[in-house]
Amino acid sequence: MKKELSLRLSLMGRVKLYVADWADAYANLFSLFLGEKVSTGHVMRITHAVLAFTVLVFSYGNALVSLLFLVWFVLTLLDCKRAGIR
């Protein structure tokens, strides 16, 4: 007799699994572009920095808002440096 184990994932478990799979695929894409293995955490930090830079570049009009986006961008760069991304 064959024993069968059925695992039911909760909705939160399925979402976590989907996000983890997406992040791994995104990291593999970055690894292809850069030619070396890149961890998922580094990819997320790089993406965060690119997003902060994009918002900074296209945030013209109010100087205070631009200053806040500049601070956000600098903080993302410091986070990348702290994580060892060159």
Side-chain angles (χ1 to χ4, degrees):
M1 176 182 258
K2 181 179 169 184
K3 291 185 179 181
E4 195 171 305
L5 178 64
S6 176
L7 295 176
R8 284 193 56 152
L9 289 176
S10 66
L11 178 62
M12 184 60 86
R14 284 185 285 181
V15 168
K16 285 181 183 179
L17 190 61
Y18 176 77
V19 170
D21 288 343
W22 176 82
D24 287 340
Y26 195 49
N28 288 336
L29 182 66
F30 261 75
S31 296
L32 278 172
F33 286 143
L34 298 176
E36 62 185 44
K37 183 69 178 153
V38 182
S39 72
T40 305
H42 284 179
V43 169
M44 293 302 147
R45 284 183 177 91
I46 293 168
T47 304
H48 189 195
V50 168
L51 177 67
F53 178 74
T54 304
V55 171
L56 172 65
V57 167
F58 291 108
S59 68
Y60 51 89
N62 190 347
L64 181 62
V65 172
S66 295
L67 183 64
L68 288 174
F69 287 139
L70 177 64
V71 169
W72 178 33
F73 177 61
V74 169
L75 289 175
T76 59
L77 289 180
L78 291 175
D79 184 39
C80 288
K81 183 177 179 183
R82 182 188 53 82
I85 300 173
R86 296 180 256 127

